[in-house]
Amino acid sequence: MTIWRWDGFLDYLFNVYLLQGALISVALTAGSLLCGLVLGLGIAVLRLSGSAVLRGVAVFYCWIFRGTPLLVQLLVIYTGLPLFGIRFSVWEAALIGISLNEAAYLSEILRAGIQSVPKGQREAALALGLHRRQVFRLVTWPQALRVVIPPLGNSVNGLLKTTSVASVISVDELLRRTQVLIQERFMVLELFLVAALYYLVLTTLWDLVQRRLERRFGRGHANEAADRR
């Protein structure tokens, strides 16, 4: 009995079907990140609110989505909500579920970045006549980005791999397509290793992008530090 088939491994290493699955994984990652950032920023603002009720809502949200597995959340959205007449396609359910889950984690990253900006700078900007939205856009957010970019980049790296969970509800992404080929070709180890290499390439490429972003947004801070010397 053949344990390992090099021909099968090499044949599927550049398989169009799997490459398309990898692109779907990237698209799901990008969509979930964008939605998660928008929702996460809103939750972070609620956490920083002066209202105890609003803070409580944000804390409860994070408690729910950080305290339960993403797999369970996806199954509830895709198979549970239809019982109440709310139906989503597999793609919509995956995007909604991963975005809601990711927002709970991103909100903490964003909140930490916002809180890292000295309160005196915001007060000085308000004293100069800027509106609160202008203060956030022109003063708080640019400085918070320096703190946010590194952990945010790590979240994207994890999110690329997390999208594989969506295969459970039959989203046609990389892992799901790998499983389909395994059922047809019975090359379990070869195909799973190909999928692992695909994920490794995607996370490595993102790591290069993240380093450029960190250098780009950390440049101003480095120049300020050099000027103080």
Side-chain angles (χ1 to χ4, degrees):
M1 181 178 66
T2 302
I3 299 177
W4 174 266
R5 291 180 53 185
W6 278 108
D7 59 333
F9 172 75
L10 295 175
D11 283 345
Y12 287 105
L13 194 57
F14 299 101
N15 182 270
V16 175
Y17 183 68
L18 291 179
L19 286 171
Q20 291 173 343
L23 291 178
I24 293 173
S25 295
V26 171
L28 183 57
T29 299
S32 300
L33 178 64
L34 179 60
C35 296
L37 276 173
V38 173
L39 182 57
L41 181 58
I43 297 169
V45 171
L46 292 181
R47 287 291 300 270
L48 297 172
S49 171
S51 170
V53 174
L54 295 179
R55 290 198 306 272
V57 170
V59 170
F60 180 77
Y61 178 94
C62 292
W63 175 64
I64 290 294
F65 283 96
R66 295 180 66 180
T68 56
L70 173 60
L71 176 58
V72 174
Q73 296 166 18
L74 289 177
L75 291 174
V76 168
I77 292 172
Y78 184 62
T79 64
L81 292 183
L83 298 176
F84 301 94
I86 304 173
R87 300 181 182 277
F88 298 105
S89 67
V90 290
W91 174 263
E92 293 169 341
L95 181 62
I96 292 171
I98 296 176
S99 298
L100 292 174
N101 181 272
E102 193 68 15
Y105 293 92
L106 294 179
S107 66
E108 293 300 303
I109 296 175
L110 296 172
R111 182 169 67 95
I114 293 172
Q115 288 183 319
S116 70
V117 180
K119 185 178 179 181
Q121 294 192 23
R122 297 194 293 270
E123 293 175 344
L126 289 171
L128 291 174
L130 295 178
H131 298 293
R132 291 188 178 276
R133 290 183 180 179
Q134 291 176 312
V135 172
F136 182 82
R137 181 169 57 87
L138 300 175
V139 178
T140 304
W141 184 241
Q143 296 183 73
L145 272 177
R146 289 200 296 263
V147 178
V148 166
I149 288 296
L152 180 61
N154 292 334
S155 293
V156 175
N157 193 305
L159 187 56
L160 275 166
K161 294 171 285 187
T162 300
T163 56
S164 62
V165 178
S167 64
V168 175
I169 59 173
S170 301
V171 175
D172 202 27
E173 45 74 66
L174 176 58
L175 183 59
R176 175 64 179 174
R177 292 193 173 207
T178 302
Q179 294 170 332
V180 169
L181 290 178
I182 287 174
Q183 293 172 1
E184 295 177 354
R185 302 292 186 266
F186 303 103
M187 291 185 292
V188 179
L189 183 58
E190 293 88 344
L191 282 164
F192 273 138
L193 184 56
V194 169
L197 287 175
Y198 276 37
Y199 283 114
L200 183 61
V201 169
L202 291 175
T203 54
T204 301
L205 291 175
W206 172 252
D207 185 59
L208 297 175
V209 174
Q210 180 181 347
R211 292 182 184 182
R212 290 180 63 89
L213 289 174
E214 289 179 4
R215 287 196 297 268
R216 170 68 180 83
F217 287 99
R219 189 179 304 162
H221 180 68
N223 292 339
E224 291 174 5
D227 292 340
R228 284 196 295 269
R229 293 173 188 167

